[in-house]
């Protein structure tokens, strides 16, 4: 019998909550990190009308290898090669210098698959919505402004992927005077 949400989707949600359980976002309220990955998956489902379950699952797992002790091998064993491939596409190489990672996000954006581009767009949308209302701990106004500028460069290389998400991102860039 098929059930909705699927068993594997629920297990994915539980795994993301488990792995991110000790992490907090950088906002003054120290929101649990898992809220961000749930937001990204929810943006894709509710705002972009995505029903591709592997994409919604990869959104839940998009920071799990980058930011926790989980590995690609774990993700593939638990959730399969399709989900793992998407997580790979959206994972930064943390062994690189931060400036290089940021540059690679810009140049690699256009090379991603369409499904990975969706996750990247939703990720930026959630981070920018956060930045509109909060300045992360330890950030100056200048750093916050630079994040909007950098995010627009990434998003510009993801265009032609999803009209709804791009319109919402453009509204934010317009408000910041970047468009
Ligand atoms: N806006 C915002 N961002 C926060 C917050 N807490 C943590 N972050 C994360 O911080 C990153 C931006 O901070 P940076 O200093 O530029 O990058 P770094 O953490 O990778 O060094 C974002 O990652 P990213 O590389 O842009 O994307 P991703 O790692 O989420 O995929 C975002 O996920 C918060 O409260 N607000
Ligand atoms: Mn993220």
């Amino acid at each position: 019998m098929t059930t909705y949400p699927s068993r594997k989707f629920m297990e994915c949600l539980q795994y993301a909550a488990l792995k991110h359980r000790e992490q907090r976002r950088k906002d003054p309220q120290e929101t649990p990190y898992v809220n961000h990955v749930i937001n990204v998956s929810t943006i894709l489902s509710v705002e972009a009308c995505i029903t591709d379950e592997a994409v919604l699952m990869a959104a839940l797992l998009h920071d799990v290898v980058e930011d926790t002790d989980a590995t690609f091998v774990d993700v593939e064993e638990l959730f399969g090669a399709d989900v793992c491939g998407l997580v790979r596409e959206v994972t930064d190489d943390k062994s690189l210098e931060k400036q290089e990672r940021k540059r690679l996000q810009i140049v690699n954006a256009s090379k991603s698959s369409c499904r990975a581009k969706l996750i990247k767009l939703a990720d930026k949308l959630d981070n920018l919505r956060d930045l509109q209302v909060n300045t992360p701990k330890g950030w100056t106004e200048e750093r916050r402004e630079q994040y909007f500028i950098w995010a627009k460069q990434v998003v510009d290389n993801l265009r032609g992927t999803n009209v709804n998400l791009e319109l919402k991102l453009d509204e934010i860039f317009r408000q910041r005077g970047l468009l």
Side-chain angles (χ1 to χ4, degrees):
M1 193 184 72
T2 312
T3 58
Y4 297 99
S6 73
R7 175 181 170 157
K8 62 187 180 174
F9 182 86
M10 293 311 300
E11 286 172 350
C12 189
L13 186 56
Q14 185 183 48
Y15 184 73
L18 173 76
K19 286 294 170 183
H20 288 293
R21 71 189 181 282
E22 280 167 8
Q23 281 176 277
R24 295 290 178 274
R25 297 284 284 174
K26 298 170 187 163
D27 60 315
Q29 299 90 336
E30 302 188 352
T31 303
Y33 198 91
V34 72
N35 286 42
H36 165 64
V37 301
I38 294 172
N39 286 345
V40 173
S41 192
T42 304
I43 286 170
L44 289 169
S45 170
V46 175
E47 301 185 58
C49 302
I50 301 303
T51 56
D52 179 338
E53 196 175 46
V55 170
L56 300 178
M57 288 169 63
L60 289 173
L61 302 176
H62 82 272
D63 282 330
V64 85
V65 176
E66 201 173 298
D67 294 336
T68 80
D69 65 358
T71 65
F72 290 123
V73 173
D74 298 333
V75 172
E76 180 157 358
E77 272 176 14
L78 289 167
F79 304 109
D82 188 27
V83 171
C84 185
L86 290 168
V87 175
R88 251 181 219 286
E89 281 195 87
V90 299
T91 299
D92 284 354
D93 181 349
K94 278 276 182 98
S95 70
L96 300 174
E97 293 255 324
K98 181 171 172 159
Q99 240 187 330
E100 176 65 357
R101 271 191 279 128
K102 296 272 154 191
R103 189 188 70 80
L104 284 175
Q105 279 212 38
I106 300 171
V107 300
N108 288 338
S110 58
K111 302 177 195 159
S112 327
S113 68
C114 193
R115 295 157 90 212
K117 284 180 182 172
L118 283 169
I119 299 168
K120 292 181 183 196
L121 284 169
D123 187 21
K124 289 294 170 282
L125 183 54
D126 189 57
N127 284 337
L128 293 174
R129 280 176 174 167
D130 239 34
L131 276 193
Q132 283 185 304
V133 291
N134 292 309
T135 304
K137 278 202 252 174
W139 284 31
T140 59
E141 239 346 278
E142 162 71 13
R143 183 158 171 201
R144 182 161 170 247
E145 193 52 44
Q146 279 305 317
Y147 190 93
F148 281 96
I149 294 166
W150 168 78
K152 172 148 187 315
Q153 291 179 287
V154 178
V155 167
D156 280 345
N157 287 342
L158 296 168
R159 289 188 187 278
T161 303
N162 184 275
V163 176
N164 289 350
L165 298 184
E166 290 165 48
L167 282 173
K168 289 177 188 210
L169 282 156
D170 283 346
E171 185 49 38
I172 295 175
F173 295 136
R174 210 167 289 118
Q175 283 171 20
R176 305 298 302 186
L178 296 173
L179 203 73

